[in-house]
Amino acid sequence: MTFSTAIDTKYQPKRLAVKLTSKGENYVQEGHPWVFSDSIVKINDTAKTGDLAIIFGKRANKMIGIGLYDAKSPIRIKMVYSDTASVNIDNAFFHQKIQKAYKKRLPLLKTKTNSYRLLFGENDGFPSLIADVYTKVLVVKLYSEIWLPYLQTLLESLIDVSGCKTVVIRLSRSLQNSKSHHLEDGDVVYGDLKDEVVQFIEHGVQFSANVIKGHKTGYFLDHRENRRQVGLLSKNKTVLDVFSYAGGFSVHALANGAKEVTSLDISEQALEIAVQNGKLNAYSGKHMTLAGDAFQLLEELVSKKQHFDVVVIDPPSFAKQQTEVTLAKKKYAQLAQLGVQLTAKGGILVLASCSSRVTATAFYDINAQTLQATKRPFTIAQKTEHDIDHPIGFPEGAYLKCAYYRFLD
């Protein structure tokens, strides 16, 4: 395989001997993937990002796990192996882990779907790394420099397992500003890419993703199953898709026979993509767009006494820091209240959250309290989490929650 010269494999990671506090040691033994800097009692003075951190337990002075050292993060060690049995962290080790991850996705790939998340960071044993597949294009997003020494090895295995013909590298902001490598965000490091907008299929519905300039890796794959279900609920219905971005829920609704769909987002560019995604499919309904602040636009729709048979409210994360949790909860309550007022008699309100710091219990409680206060009778049709290609390996990895509320009046 021939890769871009931007992939530098010159640095050979060292092995570090690490001792932790009792609390840190317990976290590792419980399988938690993060070791914070204040949990480290002893480590080599020459430790560099990407080095293999061999963690030894206090009691028997035996290995309890292995991680990758990250000098630039408060999460100083990111675990790749949590066991006491001896192991070699080599090409075969990573290849086996990628094969294991791929096998978990096989049920999804038996549907009319050719886009999926092959590696979901810590949850698949690859902390700070995401690998998404769009047809034959693999998009790898790096959130830490720990993977730079192993990048070519990983890409070779990812290509072999996925069968992709092209690889695009996306970088987090910190890596875009780093001088420790020669990669650029959006680099095509393997194969050719004729068009940065790649078409793919999701449960038989056609979509596109800009793999070079789009958010994250170009699209949000985690809501796939919810989009499918909303589509099935939308036949001959009017639908409001709030925070629609590229029109995931909107397009599924249109493709499944919705009478009228309104996509609402603050980004006019995103709404243009939503319209184009819709046109990739045959539909007879009407597709309208509203650009602007969601809270303000929803208030205006309420004042106009507009109602929709299906209302989907899927906002971006409101709590990226712990200090934002209280405000986030208020925003969720506000959106739920607005959603109730916009949902027609006998309609369905779908409320979602991707804020990992707001727990599922807290989110569902906020929704229940808000809906009960309106005095409208409702039932909870279902509650859902991540799709199959977003497995949960530790508590903080479970960020997505979604509930379907059916009104009885």
Side-chain angles (χ1 to χ4, degrees):
M1 294 181 185
T2 304
F3 293 95
S4 165
T5 55
I7 297 178
D8 186 357
T9 58
K10 293 179 182 177
Y11 180 68
Q12 296 299 316
K14 304 187 303 295
R15 295 166 65 89
L16 311 173
V18 182
K19 289 286 187 74
L20 305 179
T21 62
S22 297
K23 187 176 181 181
E25 188 175 318
N26 288 338
Y27 274 133
V28 170
Q29 291 177 319
E30 290 168 4
H32 200 280
W34 298 335
V35 175
F36 288 87
S37 57
D38 59 4
S39 293
I40 298 175
V41 174
K42 184 179 179 182
I43 194 169
N44 306 49
D45 294 335
T46 58
K48 290 184 178 181
T49 295
D51 284 345
L52 287 171
I54 316 300
I55 300 173
F56 292 90
K58 289 182 178 179
R59 296 180 182 87
N61 200 35
K62 290 183 178 180
M63 183 192 78
I64 59 173
I66 302 173
L68 301 182
Y69 184 78
D70 192 339
K72 296 182 179 180
S73 171
I75 303 175
R76 199 55 52 87
I77 298 172
K78 297 171 180 179
M79 303 299 296
V80 295
Y81 181 73
S82 299
D83 205 339
T84 56
S86 60
V87 66
N88 290 322
I89 308 299
D90 53 14
N91 296 9
F93 171 82
F94 289 122
H95 189 72
Q96 187 176 31
K97 286 169 73 74
I98 292 169
Q99 286 181 315
K100 181 180 178 181
Y102 180 75
K103 287 178 181 177
K104 291 180 182 178
R105 279 77 176 168
L106 287 176
L108 173 64
L109 298 179
K110 292 178 182 177
T111 68
K112 293 181 180 178
T113 300
N114 60 11
S115 56
Y116 62 100
R117 175 151 293 180
L118 176 49
L119 295 181
F120 183 30
E122 287 86 344
N123 299 282
D124 283 307
F126 289 87
S128 301
L129 186 148
I130 297 294
D132 287 347
V133 174
Y134 301 98
T135 312
K136 292 296 183 181
V137 178
L138 173 71
V139 185
V140 176
K141 182 150 188 180
L142 302 176
Y143 289 89
S144 170
E145 295 177 13
I146 60 174
W147 292 110
L148 294 177
Y150 311 91
L151 190 53
Q152 182 166 326
T153 291
L154 293 182
L155 295 183
E156 288 174 351
S157 289
L158 286 166
I159 292 167
D160 179 65
V161 171
S162 69
C164 285
K165 305 298 184 184
T166 303
V167 179
V168 176
I169 296 291
R170 300 297 302 272
L171 304 174
S172 66
R173 288 182 183 177
S174 63
L175 262 76
Q176 289 179 42
N177 297 325
S178 170
K179 298 186 185 303
S180 300
H181 59 86
H182 303 292
L183 293 165
E184 297 286 341
D185 184 43
D187 271 354
V188 178
V189 297
Y190 177 80
D192 298 314
L193 188 67
K194 295 178 180 178
D195 190 338
E196 63 187 36
V197 178
V198 177
Q199 280 190 228
F200 61 93
I201 302 170
E202 181 178 278
H203 290 302
V205 180
Q206 298 280 344
F207 281 96
S208 68
N210 190 316
V211 297
I212 302 295
K213 299 172 185 171
H215 287 309
K216 305 294 184 178
T217 65
Y219 193 68
F220 296 96
L221 297 169
D222 50 5
H223 259 309
R224 183 191 303 100
E225 177 58 19
N226 287 317
R227 290 191 286 265
R228 185 187 72 83
Q229 294 200 49
V230 166
L232 296 176
L233 293 168
S234 298
K235 188 174 179 61
N236 298 322
K237 299 292 198 322
T238 57
V239 179
L240 175 63
D241 180 7
V242 187
F243 303 101
S244 62
Y245 182 52
F249 289 101
S250 299
V251 176
H252 269 274
L254 289 166
N256 281 274
K259 182 168 56 179
E260 183 179 287
V261 175
T262 301
S263 299
L264 188 159
D265 199 273
I266 197 169
S267 167
E268 291 187 9
Q269 183 182 7
L271 289 172
E272 289 175 11
I273 296 172
V275 170
Q276 293 305 314
N277 277 337
K279 291 179 179 178
L280 294 174
N281 304 273
Y283 67 88
S284 58
K286 188 176 181 182
H287 191 188
M288 299 179 295
T289 61
L290 284 174
D293 178 79
F295 291 89
Q296 182 180 335
L297 290 175
L298 293 180
E299 292 278 9
E300 291 176 6
L301 291 173
V302 168
S303 67
K304 294 176 182 176
K305 300 188 183 304
Q306 286 195 239
H307 297 96
F308 303 84
D309 299 316
V310 179
V311 176
V312 180
I313 304 179
D314 176 34
S317 177
F318 286 146
K320 294 182 178 180
Q321 301 176 43
Q322 192 62 34
T323 55
E324 298 173 329
V325 169
T326 300
L327 180 58
K329 291 180 177 179
K330 290 180 180 178
K331 288 182 177 179
Y332 286 127
Q334 187 178 354
L335 287 173
Q337 187 177 50
L338 290 166
V340 172
Q341 296 176 77
L342 290 167
T343 305
K345 292 182 179 180
I348 293 177
L349 172 62
V350 181
L351 298 173
S353 165
C354 64
S355 299
S356 60
R357 289 178 174 81
V358 177
T359 65
T361 299
F363 178 66
Y364 294 138
D365 284 348
I366 290 167
N367 293 342
Q369 292 167 14
T370 304
L371 269 62
Q372 288 165 2
T374 69
K375 305 299 183 182
R376 286 188 69 181
F378 68 92
T379 61
I380 301 174
Q382 65 174 323
K383 294 177 180 178
T384 64
E385 297 177 340
H386 309 69
D387 206 349
I388 191 173
D389 57 341
H390 289 66
I392 305 306
F394 68 117
E396 292 87 343
Y399 65 87
L400 187 68
K401 43 265 178 192
C402 182
Y404 296 64
Y405 302 93
R406 185 183 293 275
F407 292 95
L408 306 177
D409 58 359

